[in-house]
Amino acid sequence: MKKYVCGVCGYVYEPLDGDPDHGIAPNTPFEDVPDDWTCPLCGVEKENFYPQD
């Protein structure tokens, strides 16, 4: 599973970790994260994330 990076603050969404504090279970691919999820650090929308090389 690919990691995704916030284009605003650099937060890395790690699928193996998910974002349990915000309702995203571990092992959740970024594609399966709800569209209304926001960056836990800066609050921007999911659309501002890009795949990590």
Side-chain angles (χ1 to χ4, degrees):
M1 289 184 280
K2 276 192 158 193
K3 296 178 184 180
Y4 279 73
V5 180
C6 177
V8 174
C9 73
Y11 170 82
V12 177
Y13 175 78
E14 168 58 72
L16 296 178
D17 297 334
D19 184 13
D21 292 342
H22 298 99
I24 310 301
N27 297 309
T28 301
F30 190 75
E31 295 78 11
D32 293 344
V33 171
D35 290 336
D36 63 351
W37 177 81
T38 58
C39 177
L41 294 185
C42 71
V44 300
E45 294 82 16
K46 179 181 172 183
E47 65 189 30
N48 291 291
F49 280 70
Y50 60 90
Q52 186 177 50
D53 293 329

